[in-house]
């Protein structure tokens, strides 16, 4: 069956799609900052020698890594308000689900980075009179974070793709708007192809960038 | 706030049916996705430029677009483009087979590339063809190294299958939505479902960690 591709309707509805793109960028920026930032704290806590710190961090990581992110978003949308009395709108539910999930994944990345640093660095820090926190902040973390930069960038890419799940609870982002355009103009092919192309065009250069970054870091180490 | 699990437990068989369908979609996607991933990896490694170019594009495209967009595309758009009757199950299996094959391809490629060049030369020296060398020498070693990354990806696939609920396939997530509406007990339903997923995925990942340790002992490093 021959199909006449007609992207004109997409261009006519560009303002509708643009609202969605802005929604995607907005939720991406917030979740990636909260996720990768919070993950650092959880990752350091997970590495702590005190079981009172490391065990809750470990439980957090296991729970959020071993459940699907869609289940988390829907749980925060429908179940969390009943449990806490705090009303969650689609945006808040999606932000909670995606950020906490990303925190758990990036915590493991940071922890692997910290563990990859030689013990001698810790001892050297101690020898010149630095406390645990000082050594961690000044010596260990700068090197550790640099080492795991490619893994963190990959997480960032995952977060960008994950933002489409926010549409399931009705947050206005690119996929949601494409669905709207498709329902109004009966052009699912063009609508969904446009969304796929938008994501590809944004993420392809980023993925290529991570390859370059990986090569540079390997040389630097 | 009072927890009441009775309503959920009464319809627990609905959830178990959903769980079965979740495992079915995951299994079928693996069944098609793994061979497709191997084919993509071998094509991408091919010296024939056009073939490796096409395979590279497919892999990058499916890795950089969100799985939910792919699912919608296969479910809503493909039936218009070609005349097929699309069911949620077919759309799900097609989407997740291709999507996961793109990731499996990269695991295969990494594994194959990790094998020392000397192995190729050795095989060539005793008169093996490319195909023989790949099949007898390279792949058996590469696959052993790929197992941990492979299992991690399968776990990701299992988690991604929750998306099929959005095109009304009766997986565990979909059954949860139904049950939550029917019983007016979303807190209990979604908590139980989260717990089911947790147990399932936790067991899988513990198993994969155990295998990884076993492989580490036998002297095979992990390839990421």
């Amino acid at each position: 069956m021959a199909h006449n591709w007609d992207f004109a309707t997409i261009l006519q509805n560009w303002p509708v799609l643009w609202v969605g793109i802005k929604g995607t960028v907005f939720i991406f920026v917030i979740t990636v900052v909260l996720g990768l930032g919070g993950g650092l704290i959880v990752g350091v806590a997970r590495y702590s020698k005190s079981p009172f710190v490391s065990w809750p961090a470990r439980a957090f990581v296991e729970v959020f890594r071993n459940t699907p992110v869609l289940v988390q978003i829907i749980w925060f949308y429908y179940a969390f308000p009943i449990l806490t009395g705090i009303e969650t709108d689609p945006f808040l539910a999606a932000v909670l689900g995606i950020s906490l999930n990303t925190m758990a994944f990036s915590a493991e990345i940071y922890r692997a980075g910290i563990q990859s640093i030689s013990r001698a660095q810790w001892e050297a820090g101690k020898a010149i009179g630095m406390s645990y926190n000082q050594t961690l902040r000044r010596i260990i973390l700068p090197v550790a974070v640099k080492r795991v930069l490619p893994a963190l960038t990959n997480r960032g890419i995952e977060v960008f793709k994950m933002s489409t799940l926010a549409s399931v609870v009705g947050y206005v982002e690119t996929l949601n708007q494409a669905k709207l355009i498709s329902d109004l103009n009966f052009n699912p092919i063009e609508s969904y192809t446009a969304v796929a192309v938008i994501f590809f065009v944004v993420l392809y250069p980023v993925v290529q960038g991570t390859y370059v970054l990986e090569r540079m870091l390997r040389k630097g180490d | 706030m009072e927890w009441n699990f009775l309503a959920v437990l009464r319809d627990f068989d609905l959830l178990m049916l959903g769980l079965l369908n979740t495992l079915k979609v995951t299994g079928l996607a693996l069944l098609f996705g793994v061979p497709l991933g191997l084919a993509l990896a071998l094509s991408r490694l091919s010296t024939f430029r056009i073939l490796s170019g096409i395979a590279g594009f497919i892999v990058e495209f499916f890795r950089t677009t969100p799985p939910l967009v792919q699912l919608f595309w296969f479910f809503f758009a493909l039936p218009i483009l070609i005349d097929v009757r699309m069911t949620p199950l077919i759309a799900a299996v097609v989407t997740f087979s291709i999507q996961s094959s793109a990731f499996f391809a990269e695991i295969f490629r990494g594994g194959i590339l990790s094998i020392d060049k000397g192995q190729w030369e050795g095989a060539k020296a005793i008169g093996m063809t490319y195909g023989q060398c790949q099949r007898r020498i390279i792949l058996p070693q590469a696959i052993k190294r790929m197992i941990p990354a492979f299992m991690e990806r399968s776990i990701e696939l299992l988690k991604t299958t929750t998306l099929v609920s959005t095109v009304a396939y009766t997986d565990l997530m979909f059954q949860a939505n139904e049950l939550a509406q029917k019983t007016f007990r979303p807190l209990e339903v979604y908590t139980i479902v989260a717990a089911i997923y947790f147990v399932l995925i936790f067991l899988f990942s513990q198993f994969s960690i155990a295998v990884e340790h076993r492989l580490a002992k036998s002297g095979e490093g992990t390839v990421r």
Side-chain angles (χ1 to χ4, degrees), chain B residues 92-213:
Chain B
V93 171
V94 169
T95 306
F96 295 127
S97 298
I98 302 179
Q99 199 250 352
S100 60
S101 80
F103 285 91
F104 285 131
E106 285 303 277
I107 299 172
F108 275 117
R109 196 170 70 104
I112 293 169
L113 286 177
S114 78
I115 304 294
D116 189 63
K117 262 186 88 76
Q119 304 270 337
W120 284 101
E121 286 155 11
K124 212 172 175 182
I126 55 169
M128 284 192 197
T129 65
Y130 172 86
Q132 286 174 328
C133 173
Q134 190 72 269
R135 212 168 50 242
R136 297 183 189 164
I137 312 287
I138 306 297
L139 279 179
Q141 300 179 71
I143 285 171
K144 200 174 166 196
R145 289 190 187 176
M146 287 162 359
I147 289 172
F150 177 85
M151 287 195 296
E152 195 188 312
R153 197 62 233 169
S154 309
I155 293 171
E156 282 306 307
L157 173 64
L158 175 64
K159 288 193 254 177
T160 317
T161 59
T162 49
L163 304 190
V164 300
S165 62
T166 59
V167 293
Y169 180 68
T170 47
D171 78 324
L172 181 54
M173 187 78 243
F174 182 85
Q175 296 289 69
N177 292 334
E178 294 283 291
L179 200 56
Q181 275 176 17
K182 197 177 124 185
T183 59
F184 302 107
R185 285 271 164 200
L187 175 63
E188 290 83 353
V189 171
Y190 289 120
T191 305
I192 286 226
V193 165
I196 295 175
Y197 274 114
F198 177 80
V199 170
L200 188 66
I201 296 166
F202 185 75
L203 288 178
F204 270 132
S205 49
Q206 291 307 306
F207 173 70
S208 110
I209 291 166
V211 172
E212 202 169 332
H213 279 292

Side-chain angles (χ1 to χ4, degrees), chain A residues 1 3 62 65-68 70-71 74-75 79 82-83 105 161 164-165 175 188-189 193 196 199-200 203 211, chain B residues 1 3 60 63-66 68 73 77 80-81 159 162-163 173 186-187 190-191 194 197-198 201-202 205:
Chain A
M1 201 163 88
H3 173 75
E62 294 295 349
R65 258 164 51 107
N66 291 318
T67 43
L70 186 60
V71 175
I74 288 180
W75 192 88
I82 300 173
L83 192 63
F105 273 95
K161 291 195 283 173
T164 51
L165 300 187
L175 182 59
I189 301 187
T193 306
F199 273 90
F200 178 70
L203 287 182
Y211 292 152
Chain B
M1 174 56 240
W3 293 80
E60 296 299 346
R63 269 159 45 104
T64 53
T65 48
L68 190 57
W73 198 91
I80 301 177
L81 211 53
K159 288 193 254 177
T162 49
L163 304 190
M173 187 78 243
L187 175 63
Y190 289 120
T191 305
Y197 274 114
F198 177 80
I201 296 166
F202 185 75
S205 49

Side-chain angles (χ1 to χ4, degrees), chain A residues 10 13-28 160-168 170-183 188 190-200 202, chain B residues 66 68-69 72:
Chain A
I10 300 295
N13 288 290
W14 183 250
V16 180
L17 205 56
W18 183 239
V19 171
I21 294 172
K22 280 195 286 192
T24 296
V25 172
F26 185 58
I27 201 166
F28 166 71
F160 194 68
K161 291 195 283 173
M162 243 185 244
S163 67
T164 51
L165 300 187
S167 68
V168 176
Y171 173 69
V172 176
E173 47 72 75
T174 314
L175 182 59
N176 209 358
Q177 293 298 87
K179 202 169 166 48
L180 185 68
I181 294 173
S182 149
D183 288 345
E190 287 82 359
S191 300
Y192 294 125
T193 306
V195 180
V197 170
I198 290 171
F199 273 90
F200 178 70
V202 173
Chain B
L68 190 57
V69 176
F72 279 12

